[in-house]
Amino acid sequence: MAVKIILAVPVIVAVLLMSIGVLMHINRTRLGIQTVGVITGISKLKKTHLKVKMDMESPIVKYTVKGQEYTCASVKYQAEGITTYKKGEKINIRVSRRNPRIFSPVKSGGTAEIFLIFGGIFMIIAYIIMYIRYF
């Protein structure tokens, strides 16, 4: 009996991993209002981190939410050169529901979510195979 309980630990871990992956996906896709904006400029910022001076940039975007038009800079600055923002280019953004002046660019990622969900599924399948094979 104790052996079967110990062997159930991978299933519990797998369910936990899959739940975290699903919650990350919901957080990335459902929170905020998804919309498309047009880059009107680039906001620049100089920042010092661990005595290293870095040039940071953030897109200034014009977008419409609930019939109201806004033009403001993103709250997320990135090191210059990581992402290229071009004036006039369309960009997918996620706008805060509480304050429509706060937005961040939507990343096409989701890689961590995929690894967590499929890692959990793999663990459950491996557990089922081991259980059938050895018990």
Side-chain angles (χ1 to χ4, degrees), residues 18-29 111-113 116:
M18 291 188 313
S19 299
I20 291 170
V22 168
L23 289 174
M24 286 174 63
H25 177 72
I26 289 170
N27 183 38
R28 184 175 62 83
T29 58
T111 308
E113 303 155 15
L116 289 171

Side-chain angles (χ1 to χ4, degrees), residues 58-76:
S58 173
I60 300 172
V61 179
K62 181 178 183 179
Y63 57 94
T64 304
V65 175
K66 297 181 182 176
Q68 184 80 19
E69 193 170 279
Y70 299 94
T71 301
C72 51
S74 171
V75 294
K76 293 192 178 182

Side-chain angles (χ1 to χ4, degrees), residues 10-74:
V11 173
I12 295 168
V13 172
V15 169
L16 184 65
L17 288 175
M18 291 188 313
S19 299
I20 291 170
V22 168
L23 289 174
M24 286 174 63
H25 177 72
I26 289 170
N27 183 38
R28 184 175 62 83
T29 58
R30 300 273 163 89
L31 296 180
I33 302 166
Q34 302 278 342
T35 188
V36 177
V38 177
I39 298 175
T40 59
I42 306 294
S43 174
K44 303 256 183 191
L45 173 73
K46 292 191 182 284
K47 183 178 179 183
T48 303
H49 182 68
L50 298 174
K51 298 181 182 180
V52 176
K53 293 180 181 178
M54 297 173 21
D55 292 326
M56 308 291 282
E57 64 182 13
S58 173
I60 300 172
V61 179
K62 181 178 183 179
Y63 57 94
T64 304
V65 175
K66 297 181 182 176
Q68 184 80 19
E69 193 170 279
Y70 299 94
T71 301
C72 51
S74 171

Side-chain angles (χ1 to χ4, degrees), residues 54-57 77-85 107:
M54 297 173 21
D55 292 326
M56 308 291 282
E57 64 182 13
Y77 281 81
Q78 294 183 339
E80 192 173 48
I82 288 180
T83 306
T84 55
Y85 298 113
K107 295 178 180 162

